[in-house]
Amino acid sequence: MKNLKINYVIVLLFSLSACSKIEYTKIDSPAYLRVFNNFNYKITAENKNDQLPIFTMLIDPKVGADGVVTGAEVIGDFLDQRDYYAPPYPSHIGNSTSVFNPEYPGKENVLVGPILNGFDLSSWAQIPSGKKRFMFVYRPKSEVPFLQLPAHLRKKVLVDTVLNMEQGEVYTLHLLQKDFNTHLNGMILRQEQFHKIPLADSLVYVNIYNMSAKGFWEANAGFKDIDEKMGILNFGIKDVMNVYYSLVDYGAGEGYWYDKVVKGHDKAFMGTVRRDTESGKVNTYFSFPVFPGPSKDTISNKIWQKFHLVPPGSTLQDYLVNEIYHDAQGNFAAISCYENGQVRPYADYGGAAILPNLLVNVHSGKYNPKTFGTVNTLEIVNGRVFLTTIQRKYAPPSY
C-alpha cells in the first residue's frame, strides 16, 4: 500500500507538470514590435577592437548610478545576427537547442500580434505602447542570462534612446552599421504600412531597401567578410540602383532561367532603390501577378522570381553575359527566390543570392497545393540579402 501511494504521488506530480502553462502578463493597448540585428561583420585583426555584435534589448530599463542595468519592463536577451530568411510565422520557438535568437520575439515566449486586417502578426511581439526608453547593450556570446552577467558586462551600450510606440501600430526595428570606415553604429525604426494600404490578393508585393553602411561598396574586398555561398552581393551595391524582375516557370522543362521566363515579365523595370540608414521610411511596394501569363490555372503554379540591380544609366543586358562575379565594384547584383530557397538544376547561374520563393504553396481548402501571394521585404545590408515574408490568412486544409 505504501508503494502504491508513492506511485500515485509521482503520477500526480507528473500530470501537474505536464499540464503547466506559461503565464503571460496582459498588455493593455499594445504596439507590435519585431527586431533584427543586421550586423554581419566578423571580428578580425582589422576590427579587433569592435564589440561582438550580440545584444540584449531592454525597454524601460532600470539603471544604477554606476551605469549597470539591473532590470527592465521588457527584456529580449541573446539577440544574435539575423537569419537570411524571416518566415511569416514564429518558426524559431521549439526548433532550436540554442539560446541565441535570430530576431525578437523569435524564440521568446511572449504575447504576439493578432491577425490584423488579414495579415498574420504572430512574428511581432506585443509591447506596451507610449513613449518608451529603448536600450541595446552588448553582451558576451555565452548562455548566461543578461541579468546574471557580472556588472561590468551590463553597461556596454550600443543604443539608448526614447521611442514613441503608438497603440496598435506595427514596427520593425533594425540595428545596423551606418559607416563602414568609422564603424559608426545605430538603429532605425520603421513604422510598417502593409496592413493599412489596399493590397490585392491576386498580386505579390515586395519592397526593397539598401541598408548598407556608408562606404561599404567602395571598400577594398580584402576588408569585407566574403562568403562564397552568397555570390556577388558580397561586394555590395552602389548607393543608387535600378531594379528589374523576371518571373521564371520552373515547370516549363529543361533550360536556363532565361529560357523559361514568363512572357511579359522578362527583366521588367520595377523602380529605384537608394541607400538609407537614417530615415526609417517605408519604401514603395512593387507588385506582380500571382498567376502571370496566359494559363487559366488559378490554383497553383511553379513560378520563381529573379531580381537584377544595376546603376542608373547602365544597360542590364551588358551584365547578363557573364553573371557570376561579373563586376566586383557594386555595379551588379542578382537575387533569386526559389521554392524553399533551393537551387534547381539548370535553373540559374551560381552568382545570385538564393532566397525562398515569394509565393506560398500550401494545402488550403480542398486544394493541395494552392498558391498564395505574400507581402515581402528584401533588405540588402553590406553585401548580404535578407528576406522577410508576411502572410495573409488563408483557409485551413479540408480532407
Side-chain angles (χ1 to χ4, degrees), residues 3 52 131 136 194-195 211 276-277 292 318 326-327 338:
N3 289 338
L52 191 68
K131 290 186 177 180
F136 288 88
F194 58 83
H195 58 297
M211 302 192 305
D276 185 2
T277 59
D318 293 342
H326 181 81
D327 194 311
Y338 296 103

Side-chain angles (χ1 to χ4, degrees), residues 78-255:
F78 306 105
L79 185 60
D80 206 346
Q81 297 174 14
R82 70 185 291 187
D83 287 341
Y84 290 115
Y85 180 46
Y89 46 84
S91 62
H92 304 292
I93 296 178
N95 292 327
S96 174
T97 57
S98 169
V99 297
F100 297 100
N101 204 351
E103 62 179 271
Y104 179 85
K107 299 177 183 180
E108 298 277 2
N109 283 309
V110 297
L111 286 171
V112 297
I115 301 293
L116 186 60
N117 293 339
F119 291 98
D120 185 351
L121 294 186
S122 59
S123 290
W124 273 260
Q126 294 187 33
I127 64 166
S129 57
K131 290 186 177 180
K132 297 292 175 182
R133 181 183 180 185
F134 275 74
M135 182 181 288
F136 288 88
V137 181
Y138 289 97
R139 58 152 297 130
K141 190 159 189 176
S142 73
E143 296 189 358
V144 178
F146 179 76
L147 294 179
Q148 296 177 24
L149 292 170
H152 72 280
L153 296 178
R154 287 184 275 128
K155 58 190 300 184
K156 297 178 180 178
V157 177
L158 168 74
V159 171
D160 186 355
T161 188
V162 174
L163 301 173
N164 185 25
M165 311 300 287
E166 297 182 30
Q167 175 186 341
E169 293 298 320
V170 180
Y171 296 94
T172 307
L173 190 153
H174 292 275
L175 304 178
L176 74 171
Q177 186 180 61
K178 295 195 172 189
D179 192 302
F180 186 71
N181 296 311
T182 66
H183 298 186
L184 175 67
N185 299 323
M187 54 154 276
I188 54 175
L189 180 69
R190 185 182 304 148
Q191 185 172 335
E192 302 291 359
Q193 301 296 313
F194 58 83
H195 58 297
K196 296 181 177 182
I197 56 182
L199 301 178
D201 291 343
S202 60
L203 298 176
V204 179
Y205 295 88
V206 56
N207 60 0
I208 304 177
Y209 298 85
N210 180 5
M211 302 192 305
S212 299
K214 178 182 178 182
F216 177 82
W217 74 265
E218 300 99 327
N220 187 290
F223 292 102
K224 301 176 184 179
D225 176 25
I226 304 300
D227 179 357
E228 295 293 333
K229 295 179 181 179
M230 285 301 294
I232 56 178
L233 290 196
N234 283 306
F235 301 105
I237 58 174
K238 288 188 173 179
D239 290 354
V240 182
M241 300 288 277
N242 285 339
V243 184
Y244 300 81
Y245 81 94
S246 298
L247 300 184
V248 185
D249 186 356
Y250 65 76
E254 299 295 325

Side-chain angles (χ1 to χ4, degrees), residues 264-281:
H265 300 275
D266 184 9
K267 298 182 285 295
F269 178 70
M270 296 186 77
T272 302
V273 176
R274 292 173 170 81
R275 190 185 68 81
D276 185 2
T277 59
E278 301 296 334
S279 71
K281 70 176 182 179

